[in-house]
Amino acid sequence: MFHYEPGKAINNDKESTDRAVRVIERLYGKDAVQWGRPMMGGEDFSLYQEKIPGVFISLGGVTDGVYRPQHTDKTLVDEKILAYGLEFYLNYVFEYLNEN
């Protein structure tokens, strides 16, 4: 029998968040960082954060001028946005390694 216990709330580490903001602003400009309201959605990422500090970001994309929420029948993804995510994560890792 599979037993699942939900994770705790995500609590972004300040140092990790500051690093992510620096990388995003360097790559895409200050307007690329958009702060959202705190949300109560479930996310397993909090389980990783029990072991190592981290930051949860959302990679947003608009297709045909319309934002469509994820995980719905309206989801439409322009796969070109994935290159930005990859570029961000690679640069984030290099920034982290240079600091440590």
Side-chain angles (χ1 to χ4, degrees), residues 7-93:
K8 299 175 184 173
I10 291 174
N11 189 8
N12 287 336
D13 172 67
K14 180 173 178 5
E15 186 177 325
S16 301
T17 302
D18 291 345
R19 183 180 306 111
V21 169
R22 281 194 311 272
V23 170
I24 293 168
E25 288 180 347
R26 184 178 72 239
L27 291 172
Y28 312 114
K30 291 190 180 288
D31 291 340
V33 175
Q34 298 181 11
W35 298 97
R37 293 183 6 220
M39 58 184 180
M40 297 295 293
E43 179 56 55
D44 293 341
F45 188 75
S46 64
L47 300 173
Y48 294 112
Q49 289 180 313
E50 289 179 1
K51 305 291 182 192
I52 185 170
V55 58
F56 187 89
I57 68 159
S58 295
L59 178 63
V62 173
T63 306
D64 300 328
V66 177
Y67 169 77
R68 294 171 179 86
Q70 302 172 16
H71 311 297
T72 72
D73 62 343
K74 307 289 187 230
T75 302
L76 184 60
V77 177
D78 181 350
E79 293 180 358
K80 289 182 253 179
I81 192 73
L82 299 177
Y84 292 101
L86 177 60
E87 182 179 40
F88 163 73
Y89 284 119
L90 288 172
N91 279 272
Y92 182 93
V93 167

